[in-house]
Structures are given as structure tokens and as C-alpha cells.
């Protein structure tokens, strides 16, 4: 259970969030990285690496490509925030880094026809490159590999079914939200990184299609995807991560196009998340349950991706009022992760909104999710 003090912290944070959302408060919360919060992130990261990372294989226990990519991204996001080198060798030792460093890597074989996983890989390669560049190290192999993977994904755009979009996989049977939100993000961010007009053209094409696809429902939330036979919203689960990856993509596109109305579009789904995908102001997946969670390895990482991509969105928006709107909410997630999600071994479970009664699942994906939430709070939450 929470202590009285910690419960008051969360209640105060939630109250501040609702005040901000109603426009009562306009002054920004501090923007410096919070050292105390980053210290807590390091505790989680240390446990993630010592308990869940296999140095022989360069993989996380039972990990998949996309979840391992997010864990590596989270470690490098932490090091960039903290100015540390605690995990500076991990990228090159990982199976992902070894592929990136191999100039002859067969990326089509490596990716296995999964076009959403491919783009999580791009994001990880970019974050690793950012870290290496910040340390004066050679990041060219990581950037070159990211460009190669991006070109493979861009070739999967298809106009013949539902008028556009990138397929979820090489099976060409499903067009879903996350793959296309990621293509928006990798395209817009790729343009900001390279100035390559093709990236920006792809980003604008993607948002034009995605915004008219019907995947965002009347609550402002993106459902999982489209029914391929009707090209209508399939009504499947509104996972948390779908609501923030689109926001970080729109943040990048807003900067690229010098169009702040895209920030307003981003916040439709962020605000809807906070209204519809929470319990007592804390993010909750439909599969989360403190007594008996049913989340699989993929779903255990979703909430942390939400917080991370809110961080990325706020990085791009670079606006004190927009930051203030989400600061207390990020702070509440951190408090919940720390007091409800974390166990005595410093692993983080998938349930944040309530103390585990034996049902929270502790895994590398859930710990990476918690790590992402703490790092996002260190940058934009109350300190």
C-alpha cells in the first residue's frame, strides 16, 4: 500500500493535472532533469541488466525484437538524461547492435517481414546513435542501418487496399494503427535528422491517410486497426501506446511543417488516454489486473511506451503550457510505478494502478516499461 505521504503525492499530482487541463494553472513546472528521479531510474535499469539481460546472446529473457529495441532505447534515453555511461557497452554487445555493426547484414531476413518491429528498431538505432554522438563516438553504422531499414519499410506502402497505409507485415493482410503511427514518426523524425525531402513527403502522406482512415474513434482514441474487408475501424482494443506514438509523430511533423495545429491533433489522443485509459489517474491496460493479469509480453511494455512518447512529443512541442498540461500526470505515473509497480527486488510489474495481489507480471518488458515511465517523469514531471 502507499504511505500517507506517497498517496498525498499522487492525489496532489492528479489534482494538479485536472487543474492544468481546465486551464487554471499556466506557469510551467521545472524543466531541468530531476536527479533524484534519475537515480531511481538507474536502480531499475541496473536490475534490468543484471537479472534479465543475457550477455552471451545479447538478448533479454524471452524478449522479442521490438521489446528488446525498446529496452535498449530506454537505457540510452536514461544515459542521455543523466549524462552517464553506465550501460555504454550494451548496444554493441546486443544482438541488435551486432546486426547494425555488420555492413553485410541481411536486413530483410533479420526483420522477418514485421514492419512495426522494423520501426521500433529504427527508433532504437537512432537513440543509440544519439548517445554515441554525444560521447564523440562513431555512430555511422547505426545511422546507416536505420536508413536501410527505413527504406525497406517505406517500400511497404500500399494504395490498393483501403486507399493507402503500410501493411503490418509481409503477409499483407492487416493495416493497423501502430505500424502507421510509427511510419509517421520515423518519416517526420527522419526528415528532421537528415533534411531528406522524401521522408517529409512520406510523413505528410501518412498523416493524410491515417487521419482519414477512421482508426481514431469518437472518444479520440485509436483502435487497433482496420477491418481489411470493409476498411472500417475494427473496434479492437485501444491500447495505451497507440495514443502516444501518434502524438510523438505529430510533434515531429508539426516541427517539420511549422504547423502547431498538429500539436493540437496530438493532444486529442493524449487527453483521451488520460480520460478513458486510467484508474484513479494511473494508466491501465484492459489486461492489467492486480489479482490475475492476462497481458502478454507485448502488452506488458505498452504503458511505458506511452510515457516515453509523451516525453518525445513534449521535446518537439517545446512549449511551456503544453508541458505543464502533462507534467503532473507523468509525476503520478512515476509515483505509481515506484510505490505500486516495483517489488523488493527492484523489478517492475505490469500493473501500476494498484498494489499487486499476486497478479502483476514481472518481466523485462514490464521493467523496461517502468524505466521509461521514470525517465519521462525525470524530464517533465514534478521533481
Amino acid at each position: 500500500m502507499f504511505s500517507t505521504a506517497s498517496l498525498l503525492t499522487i492525489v496532489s499530482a492528479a489534482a494538479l493535472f485536472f487543474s492544468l487541463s481546465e486551464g487554471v494553472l499556466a506557469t510551467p513546472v521545472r524543466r531541468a532533469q530531476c536527479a533524484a528521479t534519475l537515480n531511481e531510474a538507474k536502480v531499475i535499469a541496473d536490475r534490468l541488466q543484471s537479472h534479465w539481460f543475457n550477455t552471451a546472446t545479447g538478448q533479454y529473457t524471452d524478449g522479442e525484437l521490438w521489446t528488446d529495441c525498446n529496452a535498449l532505447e530506454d537505457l540510452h534515453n536514461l544515459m542521455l538524461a543523466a549524462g552517464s555511461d553506465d550501460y555504454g557497452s550494451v548496444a554493441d554487445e546486443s544482438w541488435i547492435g551486432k546486426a547494425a555493426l555488420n555492413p553485410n547484414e541481411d536486413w530483410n531476413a533479420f526483420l522477418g517481414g514485421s514492419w512495426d518491429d522494423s520501426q521500433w528498431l529504427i527508433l532504437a538505432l537512432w537513440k543509440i546513435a544519439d548517445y554515441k554522438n554525444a560521447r564523440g563516438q562513431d555512430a555511422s553504422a547505426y545511422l546507416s542501418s536505420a536508413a536501410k531499414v527505413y527504406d525497406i519499410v517505406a517500400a511497404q506502402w500500399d494504395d490498393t487496399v483501403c486507399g493507402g497505409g503500410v501493411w503490418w507485415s509481409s503477409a499483407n493482410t492487416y493495416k493497423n494503427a501502430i505500424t502507421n503511427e510509427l511510419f509517421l514518426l520515423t518519416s517526420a523524425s527522419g526528415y528532421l535528422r537528415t533534411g531528406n525531402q522524401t521522408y517529409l513527403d512520406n510523413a505528410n502522406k501518412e498523416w493524410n491517410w491515417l487521419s482519414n482512415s477512421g482508426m481514431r474513434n469518437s472518444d479520440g482514441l485509436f483502435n487497433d486497426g482496420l477491418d481489411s474487408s470493409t476498411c472500417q475501424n475494427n473496434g479492437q482494443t485501444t491500447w495505451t501506446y497507440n495514443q502516444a506514438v501518434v502524438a510523438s509523430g505529430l510533434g515531429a511533423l508539426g516541427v517539420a511543417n511549422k504547423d502547431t495545429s498538429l500539436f493540437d491533433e496530438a493532444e486529442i489522443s493524449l487527453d483521451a488516454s488520460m480520460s478513458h485509459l486510467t484508474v484513479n489517474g494511473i494508466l491501465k491496460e484492459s489486461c492489467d489486473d492486480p489479482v490475475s493479469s492476462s497481458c502478454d509480453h507485448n502488452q506488458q511494455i505498452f504503458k511505458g511506451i506511452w510515457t516515453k512518447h509523451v516525453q518525445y512529443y513534449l521535446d518537439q512541442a517545446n512549449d511551456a503550457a503544453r508541458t505543464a498540461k502533462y507534467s503532473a500526470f507523468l509525476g503520478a505515473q512515476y509515483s505509481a510505478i515506484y510505490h505500486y509497480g516495483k517489488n523488493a527486488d527492484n523489478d517492475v510489474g505490469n500493473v501500476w494502478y494498484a498494489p499487486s495481489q499476486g497478479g502483476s507480471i514481472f518481466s523485462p518488458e514490464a521493467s523496461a516499461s517502468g524505466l521509461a515511465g521514470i525517465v519521462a517523469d525525470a524530464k517533465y514531471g514534478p521533481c
Side-chain angles (χ1 to χ4, degrees):
M1 295 293 292
F2 284 125
S3 67
T4 301
S6 61
L7 183 59
L8 286 173
T9 298
I10 288 183
V11 170
S12 298
L16 177 59
F17 157 66
F18 286 115
S19 295
L20 288 168
S21 66
E22 294 167 1
V24 176
L25 297 178
T27 55
V29 182
R30 66 99 193 107
R31 291 283 55 80
Q33 302 275 358
C34 183
T37 307
L38 290 174
N39 286 338
E40 295 296 343
K42 184 180 184 305
V43 170
I44 302 301
D46 284 348
R47 173 65 176 179
L48 176 66
Q49 293 308 108
S50 65
H51 185 63
W52 299 109
F53 186 72
N54 185 326
T55 55
T57 65
Q59 297 176 271
Y60 291 88
T61 304
D62 296 327
E64 300 177 11
L65 173 59
W66 88 274
T67 55
D68 278 13
C69 285
N70 271 279
L72 289 173
E73 183 186 15
D74 295 333
L75 288 176
H76 289 80
N77 198 29
L78 169 59
M79 288 191 290
L80 285 166
S84 73
D85 299 301
D86 294 321
Y87 321 103
S89 63
V90 172
D92 290 356
E93 296 170 353
S94 72
W95 66 301
I96 291 163
K98 289 176 182 176
L101 292 169
N102 177 8
N104 298 313
E105 183 66 41
D106 182 346
W107 284 110
N108 279 297
F110 186 90
L111 299 171
S114 179
W115 311 132
D116 60 337
D117 287 13
S118 303
Q119 296 181 90
W120 297 113
L121 175 59
I122 293 169
L123 298 180
L125 296 173
W126 279 345
K127 188 63 69 172
I128 293 165
D130 289 345
Y131 166 79
K132 287 182 173 290
N133 282 331
R135 300 300 186 272
Q137 300 174 19
D138 182 9
S140 59
Y142 285 90
L143 294 172
S144 174
S145 294
K148 292 174 184 176
V149 174
Y150 178 86
D151 287 345
I152 292 171
V153 174
Q156 311 313 313
W157 182 272
D158 167 68
D159 289 317
T160 65
V161 176
C162 302
V166 175
W167 291 105
W168 179 38
S169 75
S170 57
N172 291 359
T173 57
Y174 190 37
K175 291 185 177 178
N176 64 341
I178 194 59
T179 305
N180 285 281
E181 292 169 346
L182 284 166
F183 192 57
L184 171 66
L185 173 60
T186 56
S187 297
S189 297
Y191 171 75
L192 295 177
R193 286 173 171 272
T194 67
N196 185 330
Q197 185 65 36
T198 298
Y199 283 83
L200 183 56
D201 291 344
N202 285 343
N204 283 313
K205 177 176 67 174
E206 174 61 73
W207 177 239
N208 181 62
W209 179 79
L210 185 61
S211 62
N212 290 292
S213 68
M215 276 190 269
R216 186 155 64 182
N217 64 31
S218 59
D219 289 331
L221 296 169
F222 278 84
N223 292 93
D224 193 73
L226 296 178
D227 182 326
S228 295
S229 64
T230 65
C231 293
Q232 301 297 308
N233 186 320
N234 62 16
Q236 291 183 19
T237 307
T238 52
W239 301 109
T240 57
Y241 77 152
N242 276 334
Q243 320 314 324
V245 172
V246 69
S248 61
L250 286 168
L253 186 59
V255 172
N257 286 340
K258 299 180 174 60
D259 180 3
T260 59
S261 71
L262 294 173
F263 301 162
D264 298 330
E265 284 284 348
E267 293 180 15
I268 291 173
S269 294
L270 295 183
D271 295 352
S273 303
M274 296 188 292
S275 296
H276 298 288
L277 303 180
T278 56
V279 171
N280 297 326
I282 305 303
L283 290 167
K284 178 188 181 300
E285 300 296 347
S286 58
C287 56
D288 286 343
D289 189 286
V291 177
S292 181
S293 288
S294 59
C295 298
D296 63 23
H297 282 280
N298 296 312
Q299 296 150 8
Q300 291 160 27
I301 203 170
F302 286 174
K303 293 187 296 295
I305 292 174
W306 189 95
T307 61
K308 176 168 55 181
H309 284 268
V310 171
Q311 175 198 327
Y312 294 168
Y313 163 68
L314 294 174
D315 286 344
Q316 298 290 8
N318 192 28
D319 179 273
R322 293 182 190 275
T323 293
K325 182 180 179 183
Y326 299 105
S327 177
F329 186 82
L330 290 173
Q333 307 319 296
Y334 163 63
S335 293
I337 292 164
Y338 184 81
H339 294 285
Y340 281 171
K342 185 168 70 74
N343 66 14
D345 293 322
N346 296 313
D347 293 313
V348 178
N350 69 294
V351 177
W352 296 359
Y353 72 95
S356 178
Q357 299 175 51
S360 189
I361 302 167
F362 294 87
S363 67
E365 293 85 1
S367 282
S369 181
L371 174 61
I374 297 172
V375 175
D377 174 67
K379 187 161 192 180
Y380 289 120
C383 188

